[in-house]
Amino acid sequence: MDFESERTQMVRDLRRMGIKDERVLAAMAKVPRERFVRDEDVDVAYGDHALGIPEGQTISQPYVVARMTELLQVEPAHHVLEVGTGSGYQAAVLAELAHDVVTVERHVPLADRASALLAELGYENVKVIAGDASIGYPPDAPYDRILVTAASPGIAPELVRQCAPDGRIVAPVGDQEMQHLVVRYPDGRESRHGAVKFVPLRGRAGFL
Ligand code: SAM
């Protein structure tokens, strides 16, 4: 398959769907999404849908990755935390935009696979940690940006404490059936964006 053409078409579609941030579009034009999906899904890697990955988890659809990344407003000097590594795809997109990314995954096999793949693809500015990050990852705090990529009952106070004073947090907040993308700004305000459906955040500040 001609993955480069598929990627170009995906970016064209994202633009048509309203993604405006050229840096986000350029990042998604670079990351080889086909490497992050299961072998049997390689031919549908660039369709605008979530796909299953091992451990019953998912890689999010391109539009949701693009929209969350756009809402996060990552700058080149930023130190970023991602909660929920999954396949590692979103971490790679963030790594194209940020100074460095710490990404945490509770399923050890997923963390191991993402870590090996990101290293193989040359993403030296991503650190993958295995563990529960529902309450963040204090050792590397504070973060300029925090992105949660699993359905969350709320934005945990621990995450707020680990975010830099001028930082922002983006998370899908709601119940296990449906969530809205929420942006938490430095002044404590929150804005709500489109409806999404993510697999649940587990752990101390997640769903049981
Ligand atoms: N960002 C991922 C990607 O690009 O493939 C997709 C993330 S998937 C929708 C959600 C991930 O969050 C799952 O892999 C799940 O195991 C992980 N997760 C759920 N609760 C977690 C927790 N408390 N700490 C770390 N990871 C968690």
Side-chain angles (χ1 to χ4, degrees), residues 39 50 59 137:
D39 290 348
I59 171 174
Y137 184 68

Side-chain angles (χ1 to χ4, degrees), residues 40-152:
E40 60 265 38
D41 289 331
V42 157
D43 53 346
V44 289
Y46 287 93
D48 195 36
H49 36 64
L51 292 166
I53 58 173
E55 309 296 332
Q57 304 304 316
T58 53
I59 171 174
S60 303
Q61 72 189 86
Y63 177 76
V64 170
V65 173
R67 186 67 185 127
M68 289 181 99
T69 311
E70 190 171 63
L71 289 170
L72 200 62
Q73 293 194 356
V74 182
E75 292 171 17
H78 281 167
H79 174 53
V80 179
L81 172 68
E82 182 196 21
V83 178
T85 313
S87 67
Y89 177 70
Q90 172 77 73
V93 172
L94 293 172
E96 294 284 350
L97 298 165
H99 177 267
D100 70 287
V101 179
V102 177
T103 179
V104 188
E105 169 56 52
R106 64 187 283 273
H107 288 288
V108 175
L110 289 180
D112 287 349
R113 185 182 175 280
S115 179
L117 178 57
L118 289 162
E120 185 193 325
L121 294 174
Y123 287 104
E124 289 174 1
N125 60 340
V126 185
K127 179 159 101 180
V128 183
I129 305 287
D132 172 13
S134 63
I135 51 164
Y137 184 68
D140 287 352
Y143 303 98
D144 299 299
R145 296 288 186 265
I146 298 178
L147 179 63
V148 182
T149 64
S152 310

Side-chain angles (χ1 to χ4, degrees), residues 189-204:
R189 264 184 323 117
E190 289 185 358
S191 61
R192 242 167 65 124
H193 300 265
V196 286
K197 184 163 172 52
F198 273 80
V199 294
L201 182 74
R202 302 291 184 194
R204 281 173 63 185

